[in-house]
Amino acid sequence: HHISDDMFLIAARELANFVDQSDLDRGSLYPPLNAVREVSMRIAEGVTKCAYDKGMRKTYLKFLLSGKQLHDF
């Protein structure tokens, strides 16, 4: 499956949205590990919306209907 530059930038932007000044003050460029589920969900939502907007619905619908888990891909 192809990940476009737009999708990559959306994922990076969503990740960056979870980094606050206290993280930066500690020298961390990433949000705390306990936020991984929320961060992952926001990234997935943003990338999926982008794919839908770009007309890639069939690819993602096929994934959803397959019943496979993300780690199967």
Side-chain angles (χ1 to χ4, degrees):
H1 298 277
H2 179 72
I3 302 297
S4 69
D5 289 344
D6 289 341
M7 291 176 180
F8 185 80
L9 292 172
I10 287 168
R13 191 176 306 118
E14 291 296 339
L15 179 62
N17 286 338
F18 278 86
V19 177
D20 59 26
Q21 189 59 47
S22 65
D23 298 321
L24 297 174
D25 291 344
R26 287 192 317 271
S28 179
L29 298 176
Y30 299 100
L33 190 56
N34 64 2
V36 70
R37 286 180 188 232
E38 186 175 358
V39 172
S40 297
M41 183 58 73
R42 292 283 174 86
I43 290 171
E45 288 170 356
V47 170
T48 301
K49 181 181 181 318
C50 179
Y52 186 86
D53 292 346
K54 289 181 172 283
M56 299 172 69
R57 291 177 281 263
K58 187 175 179 180
T59 300
Y60 287 92
L61 182 59
K62 189 184 302 183
F63 165 73
L64 292 173
L65 294 177
S66 73
K68 293 184 178 180
Q69 299 296 317
L70 190 56
H71 66 268
D72 292 336
F73 283 85

